[in-house]
């Protein structure tokens, strides 16, 4: 799981290198859930945006299922980054 998270983190930061100043993701397991604690700052405003995405720990049995869940989580993170970039652009225009 960690290797997939590391790989997708590297891909995401490479794809958004012009926009992201900082990107952080940490995995936690708590109360039957796997938590993805995330944060990022944009170069344009330096504002830290933090959020936690949770999935049930029993949601996947195989490595393939776990990888699919991680990909979905990263799609949500990418959507949040895109939204922050769009909001920042709208504010500066």
């Amino acid at each position: 799981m960690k290797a997939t998270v590391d790989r997708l983190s590297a891909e995401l930061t490479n794809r958004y290198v012009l926009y992201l100043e900082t990107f952080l993701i940490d995995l936690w397991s708590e109360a039957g859930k796997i938590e993805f604690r995330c944060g990022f700052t944009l170069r344009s405003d330096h504002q830290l945006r933090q959020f936690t995405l949770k999935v049930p720990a029993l949601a996947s049995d195989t490595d393939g299922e776990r990888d699919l869940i991680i990909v979905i989580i990263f799609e949500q993170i990418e959507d949040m980054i895109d939204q922050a970039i769009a909001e920042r652009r709208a504010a500066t225009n």
Side-chain angles (χ1 to χ4, degrees):
M1 210 170 166
K2 183 180 178 329
T4 302
V5 169
D6 290 345
R7 180 180 54 80
L8 291 174
S9 293
E11 289 174 8
L12 187 133
T13 54
N14 284 335
R15 192 168 40 256
Y16 286 92
V17 70
L18 295 176
Y19 300 100
L20 287 177
E21 181 176 57
T22 305
F23 177 73
L24 309 163
I25 188 162
D26 199 11
L27 291 175
W28 288 81
S29 180
E30 186 174 299
K33 301 248 186 231
I34 298 171
E35 296 183 0
F36 295 80
R37 296 180 183 176
C38 310
F40 66 90
T41 59
L42 298 179
R43 293 180 188 278
S44 58
D45 66 6
H46 315 290
Q47 177 186 348
L48 178 60
R49 293 156 178 89
Q50 298 181 76
F51 50 94
T52 301
L53 302 170
K54 299 177 185 182
V55 294
L58 299 176
S60 59
D61 293 328
T62 67
D63 288 342
E65 290 172 340
R66 281 187 283 277
D67 286 346
L68 180 60
I69 288 173
I70 295 168
V71 167
I72 292 168
I73 291 290
F74 269 84
E75 288 174 356
Q76 292 176 344
I77 294 168
E78 189 169 349
D79 289 345
M80 290 179 195
I81 293 170
D82 287 339
Q83 181 179 356
I85 292 167
E87 288 171 359
R88 184 66 186 153
R89 283 184 179 166
T92 57
N93 288 332

